[in-house]
Amino acid sequence: MINFDFDYYRPESSQEAVEVMQGLISQKKSGLYYGGGTEILSNFRKGKLKADAVIDLKTVDGLVGIVEEGDYITVGASTPLNQIVEFNGLNALTGVIQTIADHTIRNTLTIGGNICGRLPYKEAVLPLLAANAQLEIFGVEGARKVLMRDVFQRRMALEPTEFVYKIRIPKESVERVYTQRETVATAVDYPILHLYGRLSQNELFVGLSGFAAYPVYEIWSKEDLNPSATDEARHERLMEAFRSQARTDERGTAEYRVRLLDVALQSMLKTFEGGLL
């Protein structure tokens, strides 16, 4: 049960949505953009979050759906996760998304909600960062296109009136992908460690969710990989990059997470053996 009142808006366009948010800000009221609503409503019920208004984006044109556009696949930010799982052509993203929650909940969870929400996991961020996805962001000045790597630092760095409108993902040219997801209870539980590694023609991407208080990642160019380096040296370099960011919470200690990471990195490097030369 939600024990406070809030206003509900359902704009028909991106411009209308931004104007509603502008109006709320000018009245010194708090507003939230609302996609699937799973996380927001859950936090409302638990008393962890309050707002004077929610702005439902599901009826905004272009925010739901997947379209192939030249060398990119464009996904509306309010597209449910299951719709992405069922789409043929986003295998690297699908492999991560289908481990998030269960099938029923994924009918409501949206890709925008996952990458912009308040939960620390944001697992879909990892393959999108690895793919160097582009974001179309809508705000007071209209639409702007940016690389996700330029605006995601621990969380999305957006202006108060802005929201993610579309996600443009380059069509895949991946040499190898490695994922390892560890949970405490069931497979659909939040991860204590989710490692996502992607080896492409130009770089090695290694990202972690559940390990730190927010997703963290390392990107190595081909030059950074150093052909003469051993897997042991690469392993230690990655451990050094991530070790200090391990967190302790109710699911496990930092030390336990570091041990899981140690094993996962060794397995990933073994899987990529030969491609790193």
Side-chain angles (χ1 to χ4, degrees):
M1 177 180 176
I2 299 173
N3 62 1
F4 63 93
D5 295 327
F6 59 90
D7 295 328
Y8 173 82
Y9 297 91
R10 196 165 191 178
E12 296 182 357
S13 68
S14 298
Q15 186 60 44
E16 184 184 349
V18 168
E19 288 172 356
V20 171
M21 184 64 83
Q22 276 185 295
L24 292 169
I25 292 171
S26 69
Q27 298 172 57
K28 300 190 184 311
K29 292 183 177 181
S30 58
L32 294 170
Y33 288 120
Y34 175 105
T38 306
E39 182 184 336
I40 289 175
L41 293 179
S42 175
N43 283 327
F44 277 3
R45 293 188 183 100
K46 294 175 182 178
K48 295 182 177 181
L49 180 65
K50 283 189 175 183
D52 295 312
V54 296
I55 303 169
D56 192 339
L57 299 175
K58 290 193 290 295
T59 55
V60 173
D61 186 45
L63 267 168
V64 178
I66 305 172
V67 180
E68 294 193 49
E69 299 176 319
D71 294 331
Y72 291 85
I73 297 173
T74 300
V75 182
S78 289
T79 303
L81 296 186
N82 272 343
Q83 189 172 334
I84 299 171
V85 170
E86 293 162 3
F87 182 83
N88 184 23
L90 290 170
N91 297 333
L93 177 59
T94 296
V96 169
I97 284 178
Q98 63 189 5
T99 67
I100 299 173
D102 61 28
H103 186 276
T104 300
I105 295 175
R106 287 198 303 271
N107 284 328
T108 303
L109 292 175
T110 66
I111 184 68
N114 185 271
I115 67 175
C116 296
R118 294 169 179 259
L119 289 173
Y121 307 100
K122 300 178 177 66
E123 292 174 82
V125 160
L126 303 180
L128 293 175
L129 288 170
N132 208 13
Q134 297 179 5
L135 301 180
E136 186 171 332
I137 296 169
F138 202 92
V140 173
E141 303 297 326
R144 65 185 177 104
K145 294 179 180 179
V146 296
L147 291 176
M148 187 170 178
R149 292 180 184 180
D150 291 338
V151 295
F152 186 87
Q153 300 296 331
R154 302 186 180 185
R155 60 180 179 81
M156 289 292 183
L158 304 178
E159 295 298 321
T161 61
E162 289 185 325
F163 61 88
V164 175
Y165 182 62
K166 292 181 179 180
I167 304 163
R168 300 180 73 232
I169 307 164
K171 289 184 178 177
E172 296 177 353
S173 58
V174 184
E175 293 179 9
R176 300 178 192 179
V177 168
Y178 177 89
T179 62
Q180 185 166 329
R181 191 176 192 271
E182 303 288 349
T183 61
V184 175
T186 64
V188 297
D189 193 8
Y190 293 124
I192 191 170
L193 171 72
H194 187 164
L195 182 148
Y196 181 90
R198 170 172 165 152
L199 180 65
S200 64
Q201 293 181 348
N202 301 315
E203 63 185 28
L204 170 68
F205 175 96
V206 183
L208 308 177
S209 171
F211 181 82
Y214 40 80
V216 293
Y217 63 95
E218 284 283 306
I219 300 173
W220 291 357
S221 67
K222 284 293 186 182
E223 291 74 21
D224 294 330
L225 286 170
N226 185 359
S228 63
T230 64
D231 278 354
E232 290 77 10
R234 291 171 178 145
H235 169 268
E236 184 50 41
R237 183 177 163 194
L238 285 168
M239 287 294 296
E240 189 62 28
F242 291 124
R243 186 182 285 112
S244 64
Q245 301 176 80
R247 67 170 177 164
T248 294
D249 61 11
E250 67 279 2
R251 286 185 167 80
T253 64
E255 290 77 12
Y256 180 53
R257 283 180 162 89
V258 169
R259 288 200 298 272
L260 291 175
L261 176 62
D262 188 354
V263 175
L265 285 175
Q266 291 186 53
S267 180
M268 182 198 74
L269 290 168
K270 184 174 179 61
T271 300
F272 290 165
E273 192 173 10
L276 294 171
L277 299 179

